[in-house]
Amino acid sequence: MGKKILLGNEAIAYGILAAGANLVASYPGTPASEVCETAMGLVKRNGSPCHVEWSINEKTAVEVAYANAIANRRSAAIMKQVGLNVASDPVMSAAYMGTSGGFLIVVADDPGPHSSQTEQDTRFFAMHAKIPVLDPASPEEAMRMTIQAFAFSEEFKTPVILRPTTRVCHARQLVDLPELTVLNRQPDFQKDPYRWAATPGPRLKLHKELNAKLQDISRHEWARPKLLYGTPDARIAIVSSGVACAYIMDVLKAFDRWDDICVYKVDMPYPMDPSSLQAIANTHEKVLVVEETEPVIEMQFVNRENVSGRLDSAVPNAGELTPEIVMQVLDDVTGIHREKEKETAKKQRPPSLCAGCGHRGAFYAIKKALPKGIYTSDIGCYTLGLNLGGVDTCLCMGAAVSQAAGFYHAYKDTPSPPPIAAIIGDSTYFHAGIPPTINALVTGARFVLVILDNATTAMTGQQPTPATGCVTNDYAGRTLQLEEILTGCGIKTTFVHDPYDVKGFIEITKEAYAKTQQEGVVAIIARHPCIRDRQAMKDQASYSMSISEECNACGYCVTQFECPAIELGEDTARIDRSLCIGCGVCVDICPRNAIKAEAGK
């Protein structure tokens, strides 16, 4: 099929379809989102007989994909590392039950973290779940491992986890495009209730079978580290995997100053062959394990007397590894002392909601309507409401609703309980907000539920939601609107309002809060399309914005509204026309009425 420069995630998608997968399911999450996007595009262009879907959440994605796999077909479920927490229940059970067809779980880790709540290491989860895990170091290797993983899964009758990290997912590399394969494999689910519907008794037997299976897997060639650089009699051995190994090879080739070093590359960090690890420890004077983010490989050395790594802080025990950090680690382990370069502090502009984002007006209105309230929020670009003082908590997907209920119960018997607003995005609400809404209603909690509805999953790249439809490649049918869901949950009153109308939104928020005394939870849908949607931008009014002489540079517009298109000078504020989209919302914010909007931009 020729060659092409591919993003790591695109390469994984090619690998999935080259292996003949019949079903791909995912929930968007950076750094994994492009895998499903690419797969859906390839399937549509090539007319492949593969069902691709944006599932409601990661748990559902795994369950849908797993059913296809135990019908003796090939499936992939895709998510980011915190999404694996959501999917952990079916993943743990799938390890015990095994599979008949190939089942690949792609989990993109985010060391750093760059766009996540945690920098958790999926290799640790794989060890916990007793599932083999592959750790690619480049887009090309990720594609190759993906293709091979399906056959490996079928050989050992086990799910397999592919764990690319951010720097692999978002790197680009010229690769040989694989032939996209169509497996003419008919579904063949062999009924076996003692396996597929195992109760606790049979589960014990399945656990013993799983342990035996892992012993077999640990004898596979992937379980043995491979000598990648240097000679097997070197004094110091570096054992590494994934992008950390790529960094080591880069700096070793670029700087010729480390003597008597060899490098072993690990393809499958779990399970590993203990005898191979012990042979490395016995052969070399010193062993350094360089891995992201936890000591997964390091812990599998039975005798660690001469083994260093994250456990003894020879390698930093938190944060992303970089070539500069790897260089310093190699200097330390070889005893080279160099004067460290002084780091110059770089002033960076903090992340902010886009100029013209409808969420900004909603946050401002909520603060004005409930000035001494508690504002629980959630995972999405709207977490940047922090800058506006409109976010007090952000725990995990759906927790805005659960925590609002928790705060109500904490304060309900106090003399003056604070008003509470749960603020959650539309995609996040579909993902994890529905059960806690029902829970809040049946436990008597009282708060305002604000759903920020911008008609997309904005933070991860504009993926569709159940309300917009087109979540699969082969069914463009029914959609589900938020109003339907809220009514079904038991919400009696739902307001729908455009947050660009700040004054109106303030009044509706006050009215909603008043109704909570009788109804418990009252909902507001803050509905305005994401301004990254080009069609939405064409359809909305645009104004020419200016600052009049009434401005005294009080800074209120900057500190309380925080639009990046407004800058504060010594004597006056100014409009940055390169950022301003002319939404006109800031007109209602200025206490001196100094911001003007003229029709036509």
Side-chain angles (χ1 to χ4, degrees):
M1 289 183 67
K3 293 178 178 286
K4 189 174 183 180
I5 296 175
L6 293 181
L7 203 66
N9 283 339
E10 294 171 334
I12 293 168
Y14 270 88
I16 290 170
L17 296 178
N22 311 102
L23 192 149
V24 179
S26 178
Y27 181 80
T30 306
S33 302
E34 296 88 354
V35 181
C36 188
E37 287 179 358
T38 304
M40 188 171 289
L42 287 171
V43 166
K44 285 181 177 179
R45 285 198 299 273
N46 296 309
S48 303
C50 177
H51 171 81
V52 185
E53 72 171 53
W54 290 111
S55 303
I56 198 76
N57 58 32
E58 296 86 356
K59 179 178 184 291
T60 303
V62 167
E63 291 163 350
V64 170
Y66 183 60
N68 183 70
I70 65 176
N72 201 35
R73 286 152 65 90
R74 289 185 170 181
S75 296
I78 305 146
M79 63 207 70
K80 67 183 293 180
Q81 88 281 16
V82 287
L84 183 57
N85 299 338
V86 179
S88 61
D89 202 0
V91 170
M92 295 290 289
S93 282
Y96 275 47
M97 295 178 183
T99 184
S100 51
F103 185 35
L104 179 67
I105 306 171
V106 180
V107 185
D109 278 9
D110 187 23
H114 297 281
S115 59
S116 308
Q117 306 96 290
T118 68
E119 55 172 351
Q120 68 196 58
D121 191 332
T122 291
R123 300 174 310 150
F124 244 152
F125 184 98
M127 183 183 290
H128 172 54
K130 298 188 174 181
I131 296 175
V133 58
L134 306 175
D135 200 1
S138 68
E140 187 280 330
E141 190 170 69
M143 183 172 67
R144 175 171 50 81
M145 284 183 171
T146 297
I147 296 170
Q148 295 171 339
F150 284 96
F152 183 91
S153 172
E154 291 176 353
E155 178 184 353
F156 291 100
K157 305 297 182 186
T158 180
V160 176
I161 293 175
L162 181 81
R163 179 252 189 183
T165 59
T166 299
R167 301 303 182 183
V168 172
C169 293
H170 292 163
R172 293 185 183 274
Q173 187 177 7
L174 182 66
V175 303
D176 291 311
L177 293 178
E179 198 72 40
L180 302 188
T181 303
V182 176
L183 286 185
N184 294 317
R185 185 186 290 178
Q186 293 301 309
D188 183 21
F189 175 60
Q190 297 292 320
K191 291 192 176 187
D192 183 359
Y194 287 99
R195 181 182 183 189
W196 307 124
T199 51
R203 289 284 173 124
L204 177 59
K205 180 175 180 289
L206 290 174
H207 190 188
K208 292 177 180 178
E209 290 177 1
L210 174 58
N211 290 338
K213 189 184 298 182
L214 289 172
Q215 288 292 321
D216 291 339
I217 292 172
S218 70
R219 290 187 283 270
H220 190 275
E221 62 174 326
W222 277 351
R224 296 189 290 271
K226 299 173 182 65
L227 186 64
L228 190 64
Y229 173 92
T231 61
D233 58 351
R235 184 174 67 90
I236 300 172
I238 310 294
V239 180
S240 188
S241 73
V243 77
C245 190
Y247 290 158
I248 290 169
M249 294 306 299
D250 284 346
V251 299
L252 284 174
K253 292 174 181 177
F255 301 92
D256 184 22
R257 66 161 177 263
W258 297 286
D259 297 325
D260 216 8
I261 281 182
C262 67
V263 178
Y264 291 90
K265 182 177 183 296
V266 174
D267 289 334
M268 185 169 66
Y270 177 83
M272 295 191 69
D273 175 21
S275 62
S276 296
L277 294 176
Q278 194 56 50
I280 293 173
N282 292 341
T283 302
H284 303 278
E285 180 182 318
K286 184 180 291 187
V287 177
L288 178 71
V289 183
V290 182
E291 55 186 324
E292 287 182 329
T293 308
E294 303 294 343
V296 173
I297 299 171
E298 187 179 354
M299 289 175 62
Q300 292 179 77
F301 280 86
V302 177
N303 184 351
R304 295 201 294 270
E305 288 182 5
N306 62 333
V307 178
S308 292
R310 297 224 177 217
L311 287 173
D312 62 358
S313 297
V315 178
N317 60 13
E320 181 183 26
L321 295 179
T322 64
E324 292 76 18
I325 292 173
V326 167
M327 288 174 66
Q328 185 60 55
V329 167
L330 292 179
D331 282 347
D332 292 342
V333 76
T334 56
I336 294 176
H337 299 287
R338 290 182 302 116
E339 186 176 340
K340 294 183 181 179
E341 296 180 5
K342 292 183 179 178
E343 292 186 5
T344 55
K346 295 179 181 179
K347 189 175 181 181
Q348 293 184 325
R349 185 173 190 166
S352 174
L353 292 169
C354 300
C357 176
H359 299 343
R360 181 174 283 105
F363 277 116
Y364 179 83
I366 293 165
K367 286 193 306 175
K368 295 293 286 185
L370 310 174
K372 294 184 178 180
I374 296 175
Y375 317 122
T376 60
S377 194
D378 227 291
I379 307 299
C381 52
Y382 54 91
T383 309
L384 293 170
L386 278 164
N387 304 345
L388 288 153
V391 171
D392 292 320
T393 68
C394 179
L395 181 64
C396 63
M397 297 282 274
V401 187
S402 308
Q403 289 194 292
F407 279 120
Y408 170 78
H409 292 300
Y411 281 95
K412 66 182 178 183
D413 295 326
T414 61
S416 300
I420 299 166
I423 306 166
I424 186 171
D426 50 344
S427 180
T428 308
Y429 188 76
F430 281 116
H431 176 285
I434 297 169
T437 299
I438 297 169
N439 189 73
L441 286 164
V442 300
T443 58
R446 298 176 184 173
F447 56 87
V448 179
L449 170 62
V450 182
I451 302 178
L452 304 174
D453 181 10
N454 59 5
T456 189
T457 311
M459 185 179 181
T460 53
Q462 307 290 315
Q463 292 82 16
T465 75
T468 60
C470 298
V471 296
T472 77
N473 64 303
D474 53 8
Y475 179 68
R478 141 151 228 212
T479 60
L480 285 173
Q481 298 305 311
L482 286 166
E483 293 92 324
E484 297 177 75
I485 301 297
L486 292 167
T487 300
C489 287
I491 298 283
K492 292 181 178 178
T493 301
T494 298
F495 297 96
V496 181
H497 201 79
D498 189 335
Y500 267 25
D501 175 17
V502 174
K503 291 180 179 177
F505 206 97
I506 291 171
E507 294 308 311
I508 279 179
T509 304
K510 290 178 178 177
E511 185 178 349
Y513 177 62
K515 281 182 172 288
T516 62
Q517 304 308 307
Q518 292 78 39
E519 298 180 15
V521 180
V522 177
I524 305 173
I525 299 174
R527 182 164 286 157
H528 192 94
C530 177
I531 57 95
R532 293 290 184 185
D533 182 333
R534 293 182 180 179
Q535 186 57 48
M537 284 291 292
K538 289 179 183 178
D539 294 342
Q540 75 178 40
S542 181
Y543 302 92
S544 178
M545 307 303 299
S546 61
I547 307 291
S548 70
E549 295 179 354
E550 284 84 359
C551 178
N552 64 352
C554 70
Y556 185 87
C557 56
V558 174
T559 60
Q560 299 301 309
F561 195 60
E562 203 251 345
C563 178
I566 304 176
E567 297 177 348
L568 190 62
E570 291 185 9
D571 303 317
T572 185
R574 61 178 288 274
I575 303 293
D576 183 343
R577 299 193 182 281
S578 67
L579 295 176
C580 180
I581 69 164
C583 68
V585 179
C586 55
V587 168
D588 292 328
I589 306 305
C590 179
R592 298 177 65 85
N593 296 317
I595 303 178
K596 307 298 182 183
E598 295 182 15
K601 192 174 178 182

